[in-house]
C-alpha cells in the first residue's frame, strides 16, 4: 500500500523524536546489556537505573522502528541496527547518538532559521563562542565528541584503506587525526609505513591507547599542535579526514596553505571528505552540509569547489577515489 505524501512528510517532521529516543538508549547503554541475549524490561531497568514502565515505553517505540525487537512479556532483543549502539560494535554509532541528542547540539539546530536568514553560524550566535571553544570549556562533551569521531572513523578507515593505494608511501602525517584510528588502520594494512599523528593536546592524550591497542604505537609519533600554525615536514603524504568541511573557505585555505608549506619533493595531500552530489541526490551529505552551517561553521563541497580551494592553496587536484560515504581527494603541489 502506497503511503500518503502527508504521512511521509509527517514522519520527517517528527524525526527529532527518534533522535532523542536513540540518544537515551545509547546513554543508558541498553545495547550493551542486550549483547548476550534478550532481557526483560525489569532486568534492563535495574541495570540502567531507570523507571521500568517509562523504559518499556521507550524501547517499544524504538522496536517499532527496528532499533530493538520486542518479544513476549516485555522482553527485548537486539536487531542489526541496535547492534550498532553497542560500545564494542564493529560499526559503533552510540557516541554519535549521544552527541546529536545533546542539548548543546540540537539547540543550535533550533537556531537554523537565523543561519538561513543571515548566513551566520548558528552555534556562534546562540552561544557567543564557536563549538570548539565550547567543547574545550566542557570536557565531558569534548570527550564524547572525540569518542564519536573515533567510532565513525572505523568504517571510514576500512573504506579508505580499500579505496586508496598507500603502498608507495613511507611516512604519513595524519593532520587533525583525533585519537588516531584512521592512521592506525593504514599502518596495520601497510607495515612498512611510519605515521605521525597531529592534533590538539587534549585530543591526543587519548590516542596512545588506540594506537597501542592496534599494535602500531611503535611506528607512530604523536605530536600536539595546530593545523593553523605548522606541520611536521618531510613526510610523503599529509592526510586529513573530515577536517576541511568544518571550516569556511578562507579558513580552509589557511589550513591548506600550512599543508603546502610542509609538503616537499612532490609529497601528496589526501583529503577524506564527502562530495555534494547531483540534483536531488545524497541527502545525507546535503544535511551534513546544513550541520556544518549550524555547528562548526563550515560546509560540504562539490569536487569543483574542492579543486578551487586547492588551487588557491598551491595544490592541484589530481584524482578522486570513492571510499564509502567519503572520497579520497588526492592533490599535489603545483
Amino acid at each position: 500500500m502506497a503511503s500518503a505524501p502527508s504521512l511521509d512528510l509527517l514522519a520527517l517532521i517528527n524525526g527529532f523524536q527518534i533522535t532523542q529516543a536513540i540518544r537515551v538508549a545509547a546513554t543508558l547503554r541498553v545495547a550493551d546489556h542486550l549483547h548476550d541475549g534478550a532481557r526483560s524490561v525489569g532486568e534492563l531497568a535495574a541495570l540502567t537505573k531507570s523507571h521500568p514502565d517509562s523504559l518499556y515505553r521507550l524501547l517499544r517505540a524504538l522496536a517499532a522502528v527496528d532499533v530493538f525487537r520486542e518479544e513476549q512479556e516485555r522482553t527485548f532483543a537486539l536487531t542489526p541496527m541496535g547492534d550498532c549502539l553497542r560500545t564494542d560494535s564493529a560499526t559503533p554509532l552510540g557516541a554519535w547518538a549521544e552527541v546529536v541528542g545533546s542539548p548543546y547540539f540540537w539547540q543550535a539546530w533550533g537556531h537554523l532559521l537565523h543561519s538561513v536568514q543571515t548566513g551566520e553560524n548558528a552555534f556562534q550566535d546562540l552561544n557567543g563562542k564557536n563549538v570548539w571553544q565550547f567543547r574545550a570549556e566542557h570536557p565531558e562533551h569534548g570527550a564524547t565528541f572525540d569518542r564519536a569521531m573515533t567510532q565513525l572513523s572505523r568504517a571510514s578507515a576500512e573504506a579508505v584503506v580499500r579505496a586508496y593505494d598507500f603502498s608507495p608511501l613511507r611516512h604519513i602525517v595524519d593532520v587533525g587525526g583525533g585519537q588516531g584510528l584512521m592512521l592506525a588502520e593504514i599502518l596495520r594494512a601497510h607495515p612498512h609505513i611510519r605515521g605521525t599523528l597531529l592534533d590538539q593536546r587534549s585530543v591526543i592524550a587519548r590516542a596512545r591507547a588506540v594506537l597501542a591497542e592496534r599494535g602500531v604505537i611503535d611506528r607512530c609519533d604523536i605530536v600536539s599542535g595546530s593545523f593553523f600554525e605548522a606541520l611536521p615536514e618531510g613526510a610523503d603524504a599529509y592526510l586529513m579526514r573530515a577536517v576541511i568541511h568544518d571550516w569556511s573557505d578562507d579558513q580552509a585555505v589557511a589550513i591548506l596553505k600550512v599543508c603546502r608549506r610542509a609538503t616537499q619533493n612532490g609529497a601528496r595531500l589526501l583529503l577524506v571528505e564527502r562530495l555534494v552530489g547531483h540534483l536531488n541526490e545524497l541527502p545525507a551529505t546535503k544535511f551534513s552540509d546544513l550541520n556544518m552551517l549550524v555547528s562548526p561553521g563550515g560546509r560540504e563541497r562539490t569536487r569543483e569547489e574542492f579543486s578551487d580551494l586547492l588551487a588557491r592553496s598551491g595544490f592541484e587536484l589530481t584524482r578522486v577515489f570513492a571510499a564509502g560515504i567519503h572520497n579520497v581527494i588526492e592533490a599535489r603541489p603545483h
Side-chain angles (χ1 to χ4, degrees), residues 10-324:
L10 187 61
L12 296 177
I13 292 169
N14 289 336
F16 76 95
Q17 298 170 346
I18 298 175
T19 300
Q20 288 298 329
I22 293 174
R23 180 242 180 164
V24 171
T27 301
L28 295 176
R29 304 290 190 268
V30 172
D32 286 355
H33 295 306
L34 295 176
H35 186 193
D36 295 326
R39 290 183 184 270
S40 71
V41 75
E43 292 177 286
L44 292 170
L47 290 166
T48 62
K49 297 181 173 60
S50 301
H51 181 259
D53 187 59
S54 297
L55 180 63
Y56 172 69
R57 293 165 69 181
L58 173 80
L59 297 182
R60 75 176 176 185
L62 288 173
V65 292
D66 204 32
V67 176
F68 300 108
R69 185 177 71 253
E70 183 174 6
E71 300 178 346
Q72 298 297 318
E73 298 179 351
R74 294 193 170 197
T75 297
F76 290 89
L78 282 179
T79 63
M81 238 194 317
D83 191 70
C84 298
L85 293 177
R86 284 179 24 235
T87 52
D88 61 349
S89 168
T91 52
L93 292 172
W96 183 239
E98 292 183 62
V99 170
V100 170
S102 296
Y104 83 92
F105 193 97
W106 56 255
Q107 284 168 359
W109 266 89
H111 212 51
L112 174 61
L113 178 62
H114 174 82
S115 289
V116 171
Q117 291 185 318
T118 66
E120 297 173 355
N121 175 240
F123 193 96
Q124 177 81 38
D125 184 74
L126 186 63
N127 295 281
K129 63 192 71 174
N130 66 39
V131 72
W132 311 111
Q133 293 169 318
F134 178 89
R135 290 186 182 121
E137 294 172 5
H138 298 81
E140 70 282 9
H141 290 307
T144 302
F145 180 79
D146 291 341
R147 185 161 53 89
M149 292 302 97
T150 297
Q151 289 186 351
L152 290 174
S153 291
R154 290 189 185 180
S156 176
E158 293 173 4
V160 167
V161 169
R162 289 194 302 268
Y164 190 81
D165 182 13
F166 291 93
S167 61
L169 304 177
R170 293 295 179 270
H171 182 195
I172 298 174
V173 177
D174 190 352
V175 181
Q179 297 178 355
L181 192 141
M182 172 71 74
L183 182 58
E185 293 305 307
I186 295 171
L187 298 184
R188 287 178 66 184
H190 300 281
H192 66 283
I193 297 179
R194 283 198 58 82
T196 298
L197 175 68
L198 180 139
D199 212 315
Q200 296 178 352
R201 186 176 303 277
S202 60
V203 177
I204 61 172
R206 295 180 288 274
R208 185 169 296 277
V210 173
L211 296 166
E213 180 185 350
R214 285 156 180 79
V216 298
I217 189 67
D218 60 325
R219 289 189 285 127
C220 190
D221 298 316
I222 303 175
V223 179
S224 65
S226 168
F227 46 55
F228 282 108
E229 297 172 1
L231 303 181
E233 297 183 357
D236 46 11
Y238 291 80
L239 171 74
M240 285 191 286
R241 176 196 174 275
V243 170
I244 296 302
H245 77 158
D246 285 334
W247 304 95
S248 69
D249 285 355
D250 289 344
Q251 291 168 317
V253 168
I255 296 167
L256 292 170
K257 284 183 175 179
V258 173
C259 293
R260 179 64 184 89
R261 290 198 296 271
T263 55
Q264 303 171 356
N265 301 321
R268 66 190 76 178
L269 174 68
L270 304 173
L271 305 180
V272 179
E273 296 279 357
R274 296 174 184 259
L275 288 179
V276 175
H278 298 298
L279 302 179
N280 308 311
E281 293 181 358
L282 297 179
T285 298
K286 291 170 182 175
F287 276 91
S288 178
D289 177 55
L290 282 184
N291 187 50
M292 297 302 107
L293 173 64
V294 164
S295 188
R299 65 190 304 138
E300 303 294 357
R301 296 175 172 91
T302 64
R303 176 178 176 142
E304 291 73 22
E305 288 169 334
F306 271 110
S307 182
D308 179 64
L309 284 184
L310 290 163
R312 290 171 57 190
S313 310
F315 289 98
E316 178 185 4
L317 192 157
T318 51
R319 296 181 293 176
V320 175
F321 302 84

